[in-house]
Amino acid sequence: MDKVRAKLLALPRRYKRLLQVMTDVVLIWAALWLAFVVRLGIDELANPILDHGWLFLVAPMVGIPLFIRFGLYRAVMRYFGTDALIAITKAVTLSALILGFIIYWSSNHQNVVPRSITFNYWWLSLIMVGGLRLAMRQYFLGDWFTTAVQHVPFTNTSRGDGLPRVAVYGAGGAGNQLVAALRSDRALRPVAFIDDDPSITDRVIAGLQVYRPDQLQDMIDATGAQEILLAIPSSTRTRRREILNFLEGYPLHVRSIPSFMDLASGKVKVDDIQEVDIADLLGRDAVPAQADLLERCIVEQTVMVTGAGGSIGSELCRQILGQAPKTLLLFEHSEFNLYSILSELEQRIARESLSVCLVPILGSVRNQSQLLDIMKTWRVDTVYHAAAYKHVPMVEHNIAEGLMNNVIGTLHTAQAALQAGVANFVLISTDKAVRPTNVMGSTKRLAEMTLQALSREVAPVLFGDSGNVSQVNKTRFTMVRFGNVLGSSGSVIPLFHKQIKAGGPLTVTHPKITRYFMTIPEAAQLVIQAGSMGKGGDVFVLDMGEPVKIVELAEKMIHLSGFSVRSERNPMGDIAIEFTGLRPGEKLYEELLIGDNVIATRHPMIMSANEDFLSWETLKDTLRQLLAAVETDDFVRVRQLLRETVSGYSPEGEIVDWIYQQRRLEP
């Protein structure tokens, strides 16, 4: 049967259509003949053809053109749906009515055609033409036999077909579409639905039994399900977290279809199955954006994003594009990252017919003259400064580069913005800037302090300006501080997924380590809104919710992948968790505020912090000393200056910069 099906599917389209037309002619003849048999009885089997042969010529001549007109031969049999059934009903009904008129006008007294023939012909044609197409759809899907007998008592054909067995959580529209897609692809075998709605539980939908959540173990025993697919795209994150917490106790791999917003935006289809979004485990629903804050610094303006190819920078570009800027400048040091985000945004502009000018620019934030030239040439209105080195151990081993990129890069970008008269400048900061124990956090706090100092100056003399020329400051500097984002480069989530696929172990630095988490889209959206609220020198802090223990996150990911945790209490488990020890500069706990002085804003997820800062002249002197220490690779002096300047900076352990360590080893 599989060979026949493959040969039929491989036929050229014109042969398939010819085969359908010939089949429909035979079906029309069969329906007309049976219409007479139903009316006249089985004893008159031959009489209809002998007495009314002309009618058997007319019926296909009426029916086939109508079938063509209503598109019956354009429908793909494997994806035959409700719209095709409606078209068949219309075509068959109209052909029966026309045939009825022909019979009425051509009837004579010697050879009368019974009036009920038209009605019999109609319902028989409907059953035969539509029924055959439904049967062929199931045949071409390849599961016609399984679907027919799957729920016969004591029969479970899904166990012997070699396909992984999955249950679908959610028997609504998305769940039914998912089942149809799975049956078409034949990569997974749907065996059951799970749903909370009591009105449909214990019933059969699309040939699958619907189970209540409390019947999950019974479902596993009856169907042998190995995996659960969540088909609840419109549910809230809070509800999804409740479901995931419930499913965690069962030996099932849990995956999901995309969120409702992803489906609505056209980014993905309902049958795009993915691993469970870790944001669902956090269970925090995003607060709706305030449109005026999103638009204030973007609509019909020229916007520049530094670090445009990074995790946060690329998401900022996506969201900025949706707010109709006049021009979007993508400034990026990595050629590959710039190409990737440019290609994505160009495709979206073409797909949505957006009138936005995209300008990709390769460059470094340490090149102030290039930055100034760009900002003046395109008359930039708003800069989102996301370019930074953020990987704590990496920066700890490369102190000079971390300082030059995070501090001097921010300084040069800010001074270029001030010289070019940019109206808005928003710095993407981090919770690691609060009482840092590492170079990355201290450099990000120093970058914040640079903007704070500049924002207090009406006409500052810029750093490095030997002519002591004052620059009129028309730029509104704003800083936005938040914690880890899910799925960013260096995040533990992609690492855990990779380690689970490899069979473990999952590596966690410390049993007590905790982190704040937020999704990248939510963080980017809040950054844009916070940047619109600033008055100058503001430090905004995003509400990150409750901190998450990394070891608990690792355990949940193992369980939701269908495995058990191997430990001393469970030595026969599947995947172990190993503790590797804190890395250089790493903290057990992160904070979002240096002090307790925080003020609410008009947005419930954004707070304003009052943080101490240095005067511009004092800060410039500190920057000169830092640059001098970096030029001579005097990292002891660098650490001392950071301690004196950054409030709460308390590095733990020895300096681990590669250059410093190598020189200590030299004789």
Side-chain angles (χ1 to χ4, degrees):
M1 297 298 289
D2 289 340
K3 290 182 180 179
V4 174
R5 179 168 53 246
K7 286 183 179 179
L8 288 173
L9 290 174
L11 286 174
R13 178 180 253 177
R14 63 180 182 276
Y15 291 159
K16 291 178 181 176
R17 288 183 173 177
L18 180 60
L19 187 59
Q20 283 182 284
V21 171
M22 292 171 61
T23 303
D24 282 341
V25 170
V26 174
L27 291 177
I28 288 172
W29 284 342
L32 186 58
W33 179 71
L34 286 173
F36 278 99
V37 172
V38 169
R39 172 64 179 81
L40 303 176
I42 197 138
D43 295 331
E44 304 290 337
L45 289 178
N47 289 343
I49 300 174
L50 297 174
D51 297 338
H52 308 286
W54 64 273
L55 203 53
F56 284 84
L57 295 176
V58 171
M61 294 173 64
V62 172
I64 298 300
L66 287 172
F67 290 1
I68 294 172
R69 177 66 183 83
F70 281 90
L72 267 64
Y73 304 117
R74 292 197 300 269
V76 179
M77 202 71 70
R78 280 172 290 172
Y79 308 112
F80 192 79
T82 305
D83 53 343
L85 285 175
I86 293 172
I88 289 173
T89 303
K90 291 178 179 178
V92 168
T93 302
L94 189 56
S95 67
L97 287 173
I98 293 174
L99 191 64
F101 280 115
I102 292 173
I103 291 171
Y104 174 77
W105 289 109
S106 61
S107 293
N108 54 60
H109 295 288
Q110 287 82 21
N111 202 2
V112 177
V113 177
R115 286 174 291 181
S116 61
I117 293 299
T118 303
F119 176 73
N120 290 342
Y121 170 74
W122 171 75
W123 66 263
L124 284 166
S125 295
L126 205 58
I127 291 174
M128 296 175 77
V129 174
L132 181 64
R133 279 166 168 75
L134 287 174
M136 294 307 293
R137 180 188 69 175
Q138 295 304 116
Y139 173 69
F140 285 124
L141 285 174
D143 63 347
W144 60 282
F145 179 73
T146 300
T147 303
V149 303
Q150 190 171 23
H151 293 285
V152 175
F154 312 112
T155 303
N156 193 346
T157 59
S158 65
R159 291 183 180 272
D161 59 10
L163 298 179
R165 297 173 291 281
V166 299
V168 176
Y169 199 115
N176 277 272
Q177 290 180 57
L178 179 58
V179 166
L182 293 176
R183 286 174 171 167
S184 175
D185 293 340
R186 302 192 71 209
L188 299 171
R189 169 67 61 191
V191 293
F193 277 117
I194 304 163
D195 204 283
D196 305 314
D197 186 353
S199 65
I200 61 173
T201 53
D202 298 324
R203 299 179 66 181
V204 174
I205 295 178
L208 302 179
Q209 178 75 32
V210 183
Y211 291 86
R212 299 190 306 272
D214 59 6
Q215 296 175 317
L216 195 58
Q217 189 59 55
D218 295 336
M219 183 275 296
I220 296 172
D221 295 338
T223 64
Q226 304 159 304
E227 185 173 342
I228 284 188
L229 304 180
L230 300 182
I232 44 175
S234 59
S235 63
T236 64
R237 281 224 171 97
T238 302
R239 177 59 187 146
R240 293 170 76 92
R241 181 182 62 176
E242 292 173 356
I243 293 171
L244 290 173
N245 288 340
F246 170 74
L247 295 176
E248 191 183 348
Y250 294 90
L252 295 165
H253 183 191
V254 182
R255 292 193 288 169
S256 68
I257 62 172
S259 68
F260 179 79
M261 290 307 298
D262 287 339
L263 292 171
S265 65
K267 293 180 182 178
V268 290
K269 303 186 294 296
V270 72
D271 55 328
D272 287 337
I273 299 170
Q274 59 192 18
E275 293 297 328
V276 168
D277 188 351
I278 301 302
D280 293 336
L281 293 176
L282 304 182
R284 194 176 74 159
D285 294 311
V287 174
Q290 298 182 17
D292 62 320
L293 293 180
L294 281 178
E295 298 170 355
R296 184 172 297 170
C297 299
I298 297 175
V299 174
E300 288 301 314
Q301 299 182 45
T302 298
V303 182
M304 178 177 178
V305 179
T306 69
S311 304
I312 290 294
S314 60
E315 183 59 33
L316 280 170
C317 292
R318 295 182 192 102
Q319 303 220 11
I320 290 167
L321 200 63
Q323 300 304 318
K326 181 174 64 177
T327 304
L328 177 56
L329 303 176
L330 313 175
F331 191 81
E332 173 60 53
H333 182 64
S334 166
E335 181 186 30
F336 176 76
N337 287 352
L338 182 60
Y339 171 76
S340 298
I341 186 61
L342 175 66
S343 300
E344 178 187 331
L345 297 182
E346 283 179 335
Q347 290 174 16
R348 180 178 170 189
I349 287 174
R351 185 173 64 248
E352 300 179 12
S353 301
L354 302 176
S355 58
V356 179
C357 177
L358 277 184
V359 183
I361 301 174
L362 277 171
S364 168
V365 291
R366 287 152 65 172
N367 188 342
Q368 184 170 331
S369 60
Q370 182 195 18
L371 289 165
L372 178 58
D373 189 30
I374 292 167
M375 293 180 193
K376 281 186 173 179
T377 301
W378 275 276
R379 298 180 182 178
V380 173
D381 298 294
T382 302
V383 172
Y384 292 97
H385 182 52
Y389 290 145
K390 306 180 185 73
H391 194 276
V392 170
M394 195 71 72
V395 175
E396 206 69 18
H397 286 296
N398 298 272
I399 293 175
E401 285 301 306
L403 192 144
M404 292 300 294
N405 199 66
N406 292 357
V407 179
I408 305 304
T410 300
L411 171 70
H412 287 172
T413 310
Q415 290 191 154
L418 191 148
Q419 288 177 283
V422 172
N424 309 292
F425 187 101
V426 182
L427 169 68
I428 313 302
S429 191
T430 171
D431 58 353
K432 293 174 178 62
V434 177
R435 281 183 277 272
T437 59
N438 51 69
V439 176
M440 194 281 276
S442 62
T443 56
K444 290 297 287 183
R445 175 57 189 146
L446 196 53
E448 289 181 355
M449 295 172 70
T450 300
L451 298 192
Q452 286 177 295
L454 269 177
S455 67
R456 297 301 190 273
E457 298 292 323
V458 176
V461 175
L462 300 184
F463 181 81
D465 186 356
S466 57
N468 289 327
V469 178
S470 297
Q471 298 285 337
V472 177
N473 187 356
K474 298 180 180 179
T475 305
R476 185 168 54 94
F477 292 102
T478 304
M479 293 133 276
V480 185
R481 187 187 292 164
F482 55 91
N484 294 23
V485 287
L486 294 168
S488 66
S489 57
S491 170
V492 298
I493 307 304
L495 175 63
F496 284 168
H497 276 307
K498 184 177 179 180
Q499 290 174 337
I500 289 171
K501 286 183 179 179
L506 269 62
T507 53
V508 179
T509 55
H510 194 281
K512 294 183 179 180
I513 193 167
T514 64
R515 288 292 182 267
Y516 291 98
F517 285 102
M518 178 179 282
T519 65
I520 295 177
E522 183 182 8
Q525 191 180 80
L526 290 173
V527 163
I528 293 172
Q529 293 176 89
S532 298
M533 291 192 292
K535 298 177 181 177
D538 308 81
V539 178
F540 290 109
V541 179
L542 304 187
D543 183 352
M544 300 291 296
E546 296 298 321
V548 178
K549 289 188 72 173
I550 301 300
V551 67
E552 292 180 359
L553 189 61
E555 290 173 352
K556 284 182 178 292
M557 290 184 66
I558 291 172
H559 290 149
L560 293 173
S561 297
F563 301 110
S564 59
V565 178
R566 189 191 316 145
S567 61
E568 292 182 0
R569 289 182 297 176
N570 183 24
M572 301 304 292
D574 300 307
I575 296 178
I577 296 176
E578 291 184 359
F579 298 104
T580 58
L582 292 176
R583 298 172 296 180
E586 197 168 36
K587 295 170 69 174
L588 275 180
Y589 312 101
E590 298 292 359
E591 304 169 86
L592 289 166
L593 297 169
I594 296 175
D596 297 325
N597 193 359
V598 63
I599 303 170
T601 68
R602 55 176 284 191
H603 196 292
M605 302 295 287
I606 303 173
M607 300 170 289
S608 178
N610 274 323
E611 309 284 27
D612 296 331
F613 61 95
L614 300 177
S615 69
W616 178 233
E617 291 302 319
T618 303
L619 187 64
K620 284 199 295 183
D621 183 60
T622 300
L623 293 175
R624 290 190 193 98
Q625 294 182 60
L626 274 172
L627 281 177
V630 168
E631 286 176 4
T632 59
D633 294 329
D634 187 353
F635 299 113
V636 174
R637 177 61 176 158
V638 169
R639 176 176 277 195
Q640 179 187 349
L641 287 168
L642 290 175
R643 270 181 166 166
E644 292 172 357
T645 308
V646 177
S647 175
Y649 176 49
S650 54
E652 299 176 356
E654 298 294 322
I655 297 173
V656 294
D657 182 89
W658 295 125
I659 295 175
Y660 176 81
Q661 288 184 320
Q662 184 63 28
R663 288 189 175 171
R664 290 188 64 186
L665 294 174
E666 293 176 356

